Amino acid sequence: EKEANLTYHLIFPFLMTRVLHNQIWISVSRYRTAKGKNRIVDKGIDFEQVDRESNWDDQIILNGILLYLTNMIMPGASHLPLWRSDGFIIVILLHTGPVEFLYYWLHRALHHHFLYSRYHSHHHSSIATEPITSVIHPFAEEVAYFLLFAIPLMTVMFTGTASIAAIFIYITYIDLMNNMGHCNFELVPKWVFSTFPPLKFLMYTPSYHSLHHTQFRTNYSLFMPMYDYLYGTVDKSSDDLYETSLKRQEESPDIVHLTHLTTTDSIYHLRLGFASLASKPYAFKWYFTIAMWPVSCWSAVFTWFYGHTFVSESNTFNNLKLQSWVVPRYTMHYLLQREKKDLNYLIEEALLEADSKGAKVVSFGLLNQHEELNGNGELYIQRHPQLRIRLVDGSSLAAAVVVNSIPQETTQVLLTGRISKVGYAIALALCQKGVQVAAMNEDEYQKLQHSDCQFGKNLVLAENYDQKIWLVGEGLTDKEQLRATKG
């Protein structure tokens, strides 16, 4: 009676490993689908799907509660041995037979319009699936699946053949196959089926189940397609989609946005990680300071040795494909003079890679466009005059916002203060649109006149402060502000 109950003590660590297992699948899947290699469905993930699937860990919590209750109440569920071969074989046989068979017919029933509209349509709202899509169901459906998967586990408990390994391995198998089937990229190589052909009937692939989410009336099986083959519900395009997905190469983006990590906590705000953290980058989380600082520090050290940008996310706007690439460096690295050479190498390497992939535009974000680092990108254009790509930075976007904010009927603006790169771009754009730009500072006027840009006759030296629209750089004095006319 005083012997420790190992089953009871291992439940909570097992729940934590399930969370980690699922999160690894989520991160790998988002990374692979962002790159486009072996991707199955091209449709993007919208905000509604992210919100709907944010409670994916609920079923882990529910299963944990049920495991504890079973351990406390059911005879033969506590003080289990670590391993029993007979029990493990029983679990395999019962899953292959009753569980897969009953699931197939339950699944077909859920696609009847009466049950589909009330229950299963919630799961099928996700056309482009993520690993966590596999566990997003209404509560009644979750209970039905739990009772189904409980058949092998309850049997070995009632027969006295249960073991800790059999229970935990079976649940892990369910998680593994669920995640794999919904990951939206094909990862099962052809040699697996050519080496052991019957495996085609015993193990589905991501592309096989993806067809169920796009066609709805085919490929009903749980993890083993044999029941689809037996009852004639295999989608005819299953093999073709599998072959096509395996051959698919990395996507060629039209636009690449090159950014970098900021604070040591910013690694948790990447879309590859936790959606709950990525969606609230400025919210204070106590566990960042108390529990996560060792991980944050080690990630900062790791970036000193890891030297390649990586794809963070991919989006499609009409026919334009945009990818965000992250330089694995933090803001603190950009502030160190000795890091300048390595940073330039990483940025230049990313620029050349984007050019080789056929990207039309590379946008530099944050400190990647710093004047002291690379002259706002001019350094790379000088080194590689053959670049086919257009190189822009944040100032281009800022200039566009300002120019488009100026009322259409404006005919003259005043340019004053120290003129930055953004100011130059705004002045040039306005002059080309036929708006007269009056520079108040004679030195700035001369710089603009003698630059390579073609300002034409619309750039003049200001004689007064009568203009209603002012473009103000740094260094504007209080005395100058008082000379502004009313309105």
Side-chain angles (χ1 to χ4, degrees), residues 261-273:
L261 299 165
T262 52
T263 65
T264 51
D265 291 342
S266 61
I267 56 168
Y268 308 114
H269 301 142
L270 293 172
R271 186 181 177 275
L272 302 175

Side-chain angles (χ1 to χ4, degrees), residues 262-470:
T262 52
T263 65
T264 51
D265 291 342
S266 61
I267 56 168
Y268 308 114
H269 301 142
L270 293 172
R271 186 181 177 275
L272 302 175
F274 300 98
S276 58
L277 302 180
S279 62
K280 298 177 181 178
Y282 299 106
F284 174 75
K285 305 289 185 181
W286 63 267
Y287 45 83
F288 276 172
T289 306
I290 298 173
M292 301 300 286
W293 69 266
V295 179
S296 304
C297 291
W298 274 110
S299 72
V301 172
F302 178 73
T303 56
W304 286 73
F305 303 101
Y306 183 79
H308 192 71
T309 55
F310 60 90
V311 181
S312 174
E313 61 179 292
S314 179
N315 296 288
T316 302
F317 301 95
N318 294 328
N319 294 322
L320 284 176
K321 296 176 181 178
L322 166 68
Q323 286 185 352
S324 294
W325 294 6
V326 180
V327 176
R329 292 291 188 274
Y330 292 91
T331 299
M332 60 184 179
H333 293 117
Y334 287 80
L335 302 178
L336 299 173
Q337 188 64 28
R338 65 176 181 271
E339 287 289 302
K340 184 177 177 181
K341 183 178 178 181
D342 286 342
L343 286 167
N344 272 322
Y345 172 77
L346 287 170
I347 297 168
E348 187 174 5
E349 183 186 45
L351 183 63
L352 294 174
E353 183 181 351
D355 188 55
S356 68
K357 287 185 175 182
K360 301 176 181 68
V361 176
V362 168
S363 165
F364 279 0
L366 303 175
L367 298 178
N368 289 326
Q369 56 171 325
H370 200 271
E371 176 70 35
E372 295 181 3
L373 180 65
N374 51 39
N376 300 113
E378 293 286 347
L379 173 67
Y380 312 123
I381 295 174
Q382 293 169 6
R383 287 182 180 176
H384 306 281
Q386 78 283 3
L387 279 175
R388 297 164 296 173
I389 211 162
R390 287 178 180 266
L391 181 60
V392 301
D393 57 37
S395 60
S396 306
L397 179 60
V401 170
V402 174
V403 168
N404 286 289
S405 299
I406 294 173
Q408 291 290 332
E409 64 274 10
T410 302
T411 58
Q412 191 179 53
V413 299
L414 179 72
L415 189 65
T416 184
R418 291 194 299 273
I419 303 175
S420 64
K421 186 180 179 181
V422 177
Y424 275 90
I426 295 170
L428 177 63
L430 290 173
C431 286
Q432 291 176 344
K433 287 178 69 175
V435 178
Q436 189 182 70
V437 177
M440 181 54 63
N441 187 305
E442 187 171 354
D443 290 338
E444 297 288 359
Y445 170 75
Q446 293 297 336
K447 285 181 184 178
L448 290 170
Q449 281 282 46
H450 292 96
S451 67
D452 295 334
C453 301
Q454 301 299 315
F455 288 89
K457 296 180 180 179
N458 286 318
L459 179 68
V460 299
L461 188 62
E463 297 177 356
N464 51 54
Y465 290 87
D466 293 343
Q467 294 81 2
K468 295 290 185 181
I469 303 292
W470 284 25

Side-chain angles (χ1 to χ4, degrees), residues 124-139:
H124 274 275
S125 299
S126 302
I127 305 298
T129 58
E130 290 201 292
I132 48 176
T133 305
S134 60
V135 293
I136 303 303
H137 303 282
F139 182 71

